[in-house]
Amino acid sequence: MTCAAPAPGATAGAELAGRHIVLGLSGGIACYKAADLTRELVKAGATVQVVMTAAAEAFITPVTLQALSNRPVFTSQWDARPDNNMAHIGLSREADAVLIAPASADFMAKLVQGRADDLLSLLCLARPLERVPLLVAPAMNREMWSHPATQRNVAQLRADGATVLGPGAGDQACGEVGDGRMLEPAELRDALIAFFQPKLLAGRRVLITAGPTFEPIDPVRGITNHSSGKMGFAIARAAAEAGAEVTLVAGPVHLPTPAGVRRLNVQSAQQMFDAVLPLAPQHGLFVATAAVADWRPAALAGEKIKKTAEQRVPTLSLTENPDILAAVARLPAGQRPWCVGFAAESHDLLRHAREKRERKGVPLLVGNIGPATFGQDDNALLLVDAQGAVELPRAPKLTLARALVAEIARRLANAPTFPSPT
């Protein structure tokens, strides 16, 4: 057995370590969120240089952003602090990315037109396009967002290479409800982290199962397990960050859907089987992280089973559930995705993982000790293939998910064949 460390740069809580972000604020009530966004980016390890327009200063003070970023805030293209008096050049050359949050309708129009009448628009125009990406987080009233002029500008921004984050939908400061809210600070932080992740699965379609299944006994009871779904959801997030188109089939868990992931909710093993099998041929990679119940009651009681004087302990007859991973692995060539299985064991992990990999007929089996990981935020993984086993030592689940995605991508690149999605 050999050991491998998680992917470089994946330390929990420091996903933006070494990144220098120019955070630009244009005018809008969503400027209040920029304070929390600055904190989130700094906590994630980034250095943050805030640049504000005059309109932004009407909503939040530079003093607030300076205190949170620990750096002087720039507001004017005539700022004399840079040695050459060219703040728009120095600020843009130092950046790993420019993030405009909030990006008002007016400021996006400026970007599209190439106008540069303030420091923020000037540095956006002066940034080196090939190495300093531009991300914008729109924030405006729903009518302003849906206006054809705004939609034309958003389309042009994307065509010019900018990444548009959001907007979200919900209650607006004006009292209306709809599209146009700036994404929340944590969402923007995660979007920026995802932006910098290597796109190792770009162009791939990935199908993932996660969580437990619930097998009903009667209308109020059922058979399930302790799986929280956290590992599977972390893998779905990591795969989406890596550029894949991800479909997640989730058992009964209360976890937010990772950004950019299509989610299908199911309850029982049969429902998961019925959801997965038609989708599998449309995907090039299948990752079966779900802890699927092996058995279910042979008959579902129509009413709650009651204790009686004659029968205080009922007898349950069980029947076997369909084997989702094995069924996908047996699909015909051309329809069969590259399969990764998971095994949650209580003991003898390596032996059981090897046996399960051979039994299921999959190229890679990922094992873990279930009682040590169910419900936890960290985990340790054992990757088992025909050549042997590789250990990913205990780390946060998202860190492990990114390392696993990198390992899968490496194996896919070296695989003799890779089924094309249909």
Side-chain angles (χ1 to χ4, degrees):
M1 182 185 299
T2 59
C3 294
T11 304
E15 293 97 335
L16 293 176
R19 301 291 185 181
H20 181 65
I21 309 300
V22 170
L23 175 60
L25 280 63
S26 63
I29 186 59
C31 280
Y32 83 90
K33 294 183 180 180
D36 278 342
L37 175 57
T38 302
R39 282 179 58 96
E40 291 293 340
L41 296 180
V42 170
K43 285 168 62 178
T47 58
V48 180
Q49 177 59 65
V50 177
V51 179
M52 300 174 65
T53 65
E57 290 184 77
F59 292 93
I60 190 170
T61 68
V63 172
T64 299
L65 279 305
Q66 179 173 335
L68 293 170
S69 66
N70 294 310
R71 296 174 69 94
V73 174
F74 284 78
T75 61
S76 171
Q77 67 266 49
W78 311 117
D79 197 306
R81 282 174 291 180
D83 292 338
N84 59 3
N85 250 39
M86 297 182 185
H88 63 294
I89 300 297
L91 294 176
S92 64
R93 299 306 187 269
E94 296 172 353
D96 289 302
V98 176
L99 170 61
I100 311 298
S104 66
D106 175 68
F107 194 79
M108 290 194 297
K110 279 188 184 184
L111 293 174
V112 168
Q113 296 164 13
R115 290 163 53 197
D117 57 359
D118 58 25
L119 176 58
L120 186 55
S121 57
L122 189 58
L123 76 86
C124 288
L125 192 64
R127 69 190 167 86
L129 294 177
E130 70 281 359
R131 64 176 180 83
V132 182
L134 174 65
L135 301 92
V136 297
M140 64 198 72
N141 169 265
R142 64 187 181 92
E143 298 292 354
M144 297 169 67
W145 171 251
S146 64
H147 194 282
T150 302
Q151 292 304 304
R152 284 196 300 272
N153 288 338
V154 170
Q156 188 59 53
L157 279 174
R158 290 192 173 107
D160 290 344
T163 298
V164 180
L165 305 176
D171 295 335
Q172 301 187 328
C174 59
E176 296 181 350
V177 179
D179 293 334
R181 284 175 56 96
M182 189 173 90
L183 296 181
E184 297 304 315
E187 292 177 302
L188 290 175
R189 175 206 62 206
D190 289 347
L192 192 59
I193 291 169
F195 181 83
F196 285 117
Q197 293 297 315
K199 304 308 176 205
L200 302 174
L201 294 179
R204 307 290 197 190
R205 302 187 71 191
V206 180
L207 179 62
I208 300 172
T209 63
T213 60
F214 181 88
E215 311 301 327
I217 296 172
D218 62 25
V220 298
R221 301 185 183 92
I223 300 171
T224 189
N225 58 65
H226 293 296
S227 175
S228 66
K230 290 180 179 180
M231 192 71 236
F233 275 64
I235 293 171
R237 173 178 167 177
E241 290 177 342
E245 180 184 334
V246 180
T247 298
L248 175 64
V249 181
V253 295
H254 300 287
L255 294 173
T257 306
V261 171
R262 175 193 178 205
R263 177 175 178 175
L264 302 175
N265 291 321
V266 298
Q267 292 284 323
S268 68
Q270 186 64 55
Q271 290 172 348
M272 186 172 285
F273 180 89
D274 293 341
V276 166
L277 263 291
L279 292 173
Q282 305 167 29
H283 294 76
L285 173 62
F286 176 51
V287 185
T289 69
V292 181
D294 292 318
W295 308 283
R296 68 180 186 274
L300 172 63
E303 298 178 349
K304 179 182 176 181
I305 301 172
K306 306 293 289 183
K307 287 191 295 185
T308 65
E310 296 78 18
Q311 187 181 37
R312 299 190 64 81
V313 180
T315 300
L316 294 179
S317 177
L318 300 179
T319 188
E320 189 174 4
N321 272 323
D323 191 322
I324 299 171
L325 177 58
V328 173
R330 288 195 300 264
L331 288 172
Q335 299 183 36
R336 180 174 62 251
W338 204 85
C339 294
V340 179
F342 265 67
E345 303 293 344
S346 62
H347 64 288
D348 292 341
L349 178 59
L350 179 58
R351 177 170 66 85
H352 288 304
R354 281 174 171 163
E355 292 173 353
K356 183 171 182 178
R357 189 193 74 81
E358 294 174 1
R359 188 169 64 252
K360 303 289 187 179
V362 298
L364 181 63
L365 198 290
V366 182
N368 55 202
I369 297 296
T373 185
F374 285 152
Q376 302 298 312
D377 292 326
D378 57 2
N379 197 0
L381 300 179
L382 185 67
L383 279 53
V384 179
D385 62 13
Q387 285 70 49
V390 175
E391 183 181 356
L392 297 182
R394 197 161 197 89
K397 288 182 176 178
L398 182 57
T399 300
L400 290 177
R402 290 175 177 147
L404 178 60
V405 163
E407 180 64 23
I408 291 171
R410 182 186 67 80
R411 291 165 184 260
L412 288 176
N414 295 326
T417 59
F418 184 78
S420 298
T422 56

